[in-house]
Amino acid sequence: MESMVEENGSTVDPLSQGSQSGDAAPAIATSVQSLSRSQHHLVASTSIVQLTLPLSGTTQVQSVIQPNQQSVIQTATNIQPVALSKANVILVSKPNSVIQTTQGSLQTLQVVETGSDDSFSDEESPKKRRDILTRRPSYRKILNDLGGVIPAGTIQIATQGEGVPGLHTLTMSNAATAGGAIVQYAQGQDAQFFVPAYTGHGVVVEDAARKRELRLLKNREAARECRRKKKEYIKCLENRVAVLENRNQTLIDELKSLKELYQQKTD
DNA sequence: GTTCGCCTCCGTCAGGTATA
DNA sequence: TATACCTGACGGAGGCGAAC
């Protein structure tokens, strides 16, 4: 990961700055290849980055980063949202802001969570993370919520929009179940549940092989969902890196110009 | 056309965690 | 404690471009 702001030989890594200041900051520095479980949280919403800059009082730079959406960056002194395309480029003129990297002049870099933010720091408890990450409800709960099961015994091959919406039928080619077991599952927006399946003879199949098939089926779905979330997370991290690199470059340019201005006045 | 290396996607397993 | 869920790791399958 590239360090940010390298003027005067000092480096500030924005990815570790938050933890240094003790404030909540997203763990952007996390290696994409090794996303640990504790770090596997969605960064898919809003965060505000506040930069406290000593030379100009307090300047807030608000960075709103949303995956698959447009992002917005604002400054407190000039609240003019700049819509960002997916091209990941942010260039905001912040005439009153200065950043210095010597002697720790960059004092604060904190992330303030807003209402729908589900980015959290390493300090937050795993339970809180878990709570924020809406967990998929159990199949039992879904069944209870629905108050029963869909009548089984008929083979239905339906995809969204045809037949019974979301109701799918799978035929298991399993040696332990002569003729194969039939598994029905309904799929809503974010949930899936199984209904009792019958063989062609109307006998409920509840053997170990069937349980295994169900478990594998569920795990298959879980793995898909897990990979989808991971992709989304990685994409969001990449977006943030691009945003921070651009902001860093902007700040470097501002620092250079202010240095030149100062030099002219002292001459 | 064939082979090779690389990449991506997918299914499965194992182990950890949350919950009833 | 049993069950459900999540996710890293592993290996196989298939696509794709390059080299021959």
Side-chain angles (χ1 to χ4, degrees), chain A residues 7 43 71 87 111 116 121 126 136 167 186 204 215 240 257 267:
Chain A
E7 293 294 305
V43 220
S71 300
V111 174
S116 62
S121 71
R136 164 184 278 187
L167 181 62
V204 179
R215 181 171 54 80
R240 287 198 177 201
S257 62
D267 286 346

Side-chain angles (χ1 to χ4, degrees), chain A residues 44-185:
Chain A
S45 58
T46 307
S47 61
I48 296 176
V49 177
Q50 292 184 328
L51 286 175
T52 301
L53 305 169
L55 295 185
S56 59
T58 296
T59 297
Q60 290 190 343
V61 179
Q62 299 186 340
S63 172
V64 182
I65 306 168
Q66 295 181 313
N68 306 322
Q69 298 179 28
Q70 286 188 330
S71 300
V72 175
I73 186 168
Q74 300 176 329
T75 66
T77 54
N78 183 23
I79 304 296
Q80 290 184 345
V82 178
L84 300 172
S85 68
K86 288 181 180 178
N88 304 327
V89 176
I90 292 182
L91 289 175
V92 178
S93 173
K94 298 182 286 296
N96 295 325
S97 62
V98 176
I99 186 167
Q100 288 188 340
T101 60
T102 57
Q103 315 250 331
S105 296
L106 179 59
Q107 292 184 336
T108 352
L109 175 58
Q110 59 178 325
V111 174
V112 179
E113 292 189 11
T114 57
S116 62
D117 196 351
D118 49 2
S119 312
F120 5 76
S121 71
D122 290 340
E123 284 79 8
E124 288 176 296
S125 69
K127 184 179 189 332
K128 185 176 179 183
R129 292 182 183 144
R130 203 86 183 182
D131 290 341
I132 296 174
L133 265 181
T134 54
R135 194 188 179 100
R136 164 184 278 187
S138 69
Y139 302 114
R140 184 176 307 174
K141 183 179 185 309
I142 296 170
L143 274 175
N144 289 338
D145 289 345
L146 291 177
V149 298
I150 298 174
T154 56
I155 297 176
Q156 301 185 58
I157 303 175
T159 56
Q160 299 281 347
E162 64 176 87
V164 179
L167 181 62
H168 307 270
T169 299
L170 301 178
T171 302
M172 302 295 185
S173 55
N174 193 308
T177 59
I182 299 172
V183 177
Q184 287 183 328
Y185 67 98

